[in-house]
Amino acid sequence: MPENDPWEYSLFIPNDPRAVTVCRRTLRLILTMHGLIRMVDLAELLATELVSNAVRHTKGPAALRVRWSGTGVLRLGAWDADPSPPEPPQPFDRAADREDGRGLALVRACADVWGWQPLAREGNRGKYVWCELGVA
């Protein structure tokens, strides 16, 4: 049974493709320990897409943020140091033959809601791309 108290984790990662696997495995452990095992597969898919984009399309560090609302909403997000907005998701039919370019389309199709916001703090700039899943 999922917990009713809110919680949040942040995992800061280097710009390294191997960090995507570290995020995915860490997320699986977090959700399992909090009794949200039925959300693991979809959450892993979405977090992988968000973190992959942060690592692939930027040059600096990144972070995965996982937040449970306590009211049945899981928010996954990836921060990176590039303030440029993410490319809008393309429809699957346009990206079907490509090796890349389907990440945010998957997020849009599988998440209850998604979005992004620019971030600025202490002279540093970046963006946070997020999505939410509700417990069904």
Side-chain angles (χ1 to χ4, degrees):
M1 182 94 197
E3 298 175 17
N4 292 327
D5 293 331
W7 48 259
E8 182 176 314
Y9 293 84
S10 294
L11 177 63
F12 292 89
I13 59 172
N15 190 287
D16 181 336
R18 295 172 290 195
V20 177
T21 301
V22 171
C23 288
R24 187 171 51 245
R25 290 182 180 169
T26 302
L27 176 62
R28 176 173 285 273
L29 181 60
I30 290 167
L31 296 180
T32 300
M33 297 303 296
H34 282 283
L36 297 168
I37 190 70
R38 66 179 176 220
M39 297 182 86
V40 167
D41 291 335
L42 183 54
E44 276 186 333
L45 171 69
L46 298 176
T48 297
E49 295 304 330
L50 295 174
V51 173
S52 293
N53 283 345
V55 169
R56 179 179 293 136
H57 300 295
T58 67
K59 294 184 185 341
L64 171 67
R65 185 170 166 197
V66 183
R67 186 176 75 195
W68 174 250
S69 69
T71 60
V73 176
L74 180 70
R75 178 176 274 205
L76 306 168
W79 166 85
D80 65 58
D82 182 354
S84 303
E87 291 291 322
Q90 296 295 316
F92 281 116
D93 58 349
R94 287 194 210 157
D97 296 331
R98 295 179 52 196
E99 289 286 321
D100 61 358
R102 295 183 298 263
L104 285 180
L106 278 171
V107 171
R108 181 178 62 186
C110 296
D112 295 331
V113 63
W114 81 278
W116 79 278
Q117 60 196 63
L119 297 176
R121 186 178 192 180
E122 298 174 9
N124 297 318
R125 298 178 64 204
K127 69 177 165 294
Y128 181 64
V129 182
W130 55 270
C131 66
E132 292 183 347
L133 297 172
V135 174

